Amino acid sequence: KAGVTQTPRYLIKTRGQQVTLSCSPISGHRSVSWYQQTPGQGLQFLFEYFSETQRNKGNFPGRFSGRQFSNSRSEMNVSTLELGDSALYLCASSGGLVDNEQFFGPGTRLTVL
Amino acid sequence: AQKVTQAQTEISVVEKEDVTLDCVYETRDTTYYLFWYKQPPSGELVFLIRRNSFDEQNEISGRYSWNFQKSTSSFNFTITASQVVDSAVYFCALRWIQGAQKLVFGQGTRLTINP
C-alpha cells in the first residue's frame, strides 16, 4: 500500500506570494490533517478534512486555508506569504474514525524569502 | 486546554546505554489518547505507539518500552541498549478521543546516540 505523498517536497517563495501544497492520503483513508512545524513553535495543528468537509481547525489566521476533493486528496493554500510561514508542512492521513491511526507524509519544506 | 511537555530538549548517550524520554501532559478530558512519534532527519513522522487513557498497562516492543502513569500525567519512553539508528527527534502527543484527528504535540526531544 502506498504511503502518504506530498508535493512538492521543497518550495521557495517570496513575501506576498501565495502557495498551494498537495497531499494524497493512503488509499481508502478519508481524513487528511495538516500540521505546521517550525523551530520556534514546534508542531501545530492547522486543520483536518474528512469527506470533503473541514472537521477541525487550529489557531491560524485566515490566510491559511484548505480543501479536500472527492478522491480524498487535499490541498492547503497560504496567501500573502510572510517570512514566518517558512516551515515544514506535514500532512497526515487516517480512516477518520476515533481509533484510527494517523500516518504522516514526508512533508513540504516551504521557504519564504 | 491540552498541553504536552517534553522537558528534555536534547539527550546524547553512547551506544548500548539505556535512555528514557520524559513526557508530561495536561488535559481536562477524561478520555484521550497518548502517542509517541519518531522523526528521523528525512522529516517524516513515524508512529511508534498509542495508549488510551483507560489503559495504564505498560508496554514493551523489542528494545522500546512505555510507562504510562495517570497519577502523575506522564507517559515516558525508554529505549534499552540504544543504537545509532535510534538517533532522531521524538515527539509525545495527545489527542482527545472526541477531538477528531487533532494531535497536540510536545516540543520534541532530540536524541543522539554516539557510536
Side-chain angles (χ1 to χ4, degrees):
Chain A
K1 214 177 198 182
V4 180
T5 58
Q6 292 187 244
T7 57
R9 293 292 312 278
Y10 302 91
L11 207 47
I12 299 176
K13 292 285 187 179
T14 55
R15 277 185 300 173
Q17 286 188 310
Q18 77 166 20
V19 67
T20 299
L21 312 182
S22 180
C23 172
S24 292
I26 292 170
S27 178
H29 283 187
R30 295 162 63 192
S31 166
V32 173
S33 301
W34 289 89
Y35 293 82
Q36 181 196 63
Q37 184 176 21
T38 60
Q41 300 299 317
L43 276 157
Q44 293 186 289
F45 173 79
L46 280 155
F47 31 64
E48 181 208 358
Y49 285 86
F50 179 77
S51 294
E52 301 180 65
T53 301
Q54 189 180 86
R55 186 161 72 168
N56 214 334
K57 190 177 187 305
N59 191 24
F60 278 81
R63 300 185 297 107
F64 292 82
S65 63
R67 59 177 175 168
Q68 186 179 35
F69 302 95
S70 58
N71 62 358
S72 293
R73 188 178 71 86
S74 176
E75 286 182 349
M76 188 193 111
N77 185 275
V78 188
S79 63
T80 319
L81 284 166
E82 301 176 359
L83 295 179
D85 297 332
S86 294
L88 179 66
Y89 290 89
L90 291 162
C91 156
S93 97
S94 85
L97 301 180
V98 74
D99 60 348
N100 287 160
E101 300 313 327
Q102 287 176 274
F103 297 90
F104 283 82
T108 294
R109 185 163 296 281
L110 171 65
T111 301
V112 182
L113 302 175
Chain B
Q2 299 175 332
K3 185 179 178 183
V4 176
T5 301
Q6 294 178 254
Q8 304 150 311
T9 306
E10 293 192 36
I11 298 176
S12 180
V13 301
V14 176
E15 200 172 19
K16 296 184 184 175
E17 284 186 21
D18 298 348
V19 58
T20 295
L21 309 182
D22 297 334
C23 173
V24 174
Y25 62 92
E26 297 174 31
T27 181
R28 294 178 182 172
D29 305 312
T30 56
T31 54
Y32 50 88
Y33 287 120
L34 293 165
F35 300 81
W36 276 95
Y37 283 89
K38 174 182 180 180
Q39 187 176 43
S42 59
E44 185 171 338
L45 282 171
V46 178
F47 167 80
L48 295 177
I49 189 172
R50 179 191 74 187
R51 253 303 171 251
N52 75 49
S53 53
F54 303 128
D55 183 4
E56 286 193 67
Q57 200 169 11
N58 291 333
E59 182 156 340
I60 298 174
S61 175
R63 296 183 297 106
Y64 296 172
S65 62
W66 291 269
N67 183 312
F68 175 29
Q69 291 197 342
K70 217 167 173 178
S71 60
T72 55
S73 297
S74 66
F75 186 43
N76 297 337
F77 173 31
T78 297
I79 301 175
T80 303
S82 60
Q83 300 176 2
V84 173
V85 293
D86 295 326
S87 296
V89 181
Y90 290 85
F91 291 93
C92 180
L94 172 72
R95 188 177 92 205
W96 178 42
I97 284 182
Q98 299 301 325
Q101 299 291 312
K102 176 182 177 180
L103 285 165
V104 174
F105 286 91
Q107 286 295 97
T109 297
R110 180 176 299 279
L111 176 63
T112 302
I113 310 297
N114 299 297

